[in-house]
Amino acid sequence: VQLQASGGGLVQPGGSLRLSCTSSGFTLDDYAIGWFRQAPGKEREGVSCISSRTGNTYYTDSAKGRFTISRDNAKNTVYLQMNNLKPEDTATYYCGANLMRVDPGYAHFRRLVEYDYWGQGTLVTVSS
């Protein structure tokens, strides 16, 4: 069972991208789904999360106000709309399912150890 992230690409600073997270193996709304990113030479870090069922959303300070996470249960897809992108947003973006909590809250949504079902990720490059 894996999640599949897509929608990355090359965009200029200030531009936008929408990432999608899908699964053919299970219902995404049964889990809190988190978006993480990993830049070259750096550890994977949390960006945003949406809880199971209630749809509560959580963001890091760098993502707040620029990124929006959402679900479309009919399409079994979680999105990450990214606006006003900056060069420091350049990374491979992954989505993961939280296997420990249906609603991680701000205290836990960035805890990498709680997530699994990682797929290959999608590369986002922000450059002029």
Side-chain angles (χ1 to χ4, degrees):
V1 177
Q2 279 190 332
L3 297 174
Q4 182 62 48
S6 62
L10 174 62
V11 63
Q12 292 185 343
S16 298
L17 284 174
R18 188 177 76 162
L19 306 184
S20 299
C21 176
T22 60
S23 170
S24 60
F26 60 93
T27 301
L28 293 191
D29 200 31
D30 288 343
Y31 299 88
I33 300 298
W35 281 99
F36 287 71
R37 66 187 182 188
Q38 188 166 16
K42 295 188 176 181
E43 294 185 350
R44 192 172 298 188
E45 62 175 9
V47 175
S48 182
C49 175
I50 186 165
S51 67
S52 171
R53 307 299 183 193
T54 57
N56 293 327
T57 58
Y58 307 98
Y59 303 93
T60 58
D61 287 345
S62 64
K64 200 172 297 182
R66 299 189 300 128
F67 295 1
T68 302
I69 191 170
S70 62
R71 290 183 183 272
D72 185 335
N73 291 333
K75 296 182 178 180
N76 200 33
T77 301
V78 171
Y79 300 102
L80 185 68
Q81 176 68 44
M82 304 187 297
N83 299 327
N84 190 22
L85 283 161
K86 304 175 180 181
E88 52 264 42
D89 296 316
T90 295
T92 298
Y93 285 70
Y94 302 86
C95 54
N98 192 303
L99 302 188
M100 294 182 61
R101 306 172 202 274
V102 294
D103 189 347
Y106 271 106
H108 299 282
F109 86 94
R110 290 175 291 179
R111 294 194 72 220
L112 185 63
V113 68
E114 298 190 5
Y115 292 82
D116 204 338
Y117 302 162
W118 304 105
Q120 290 185 334
T122 186
L123 178 62
V124 172
T125 304
V126 185
S127 175
S128 55

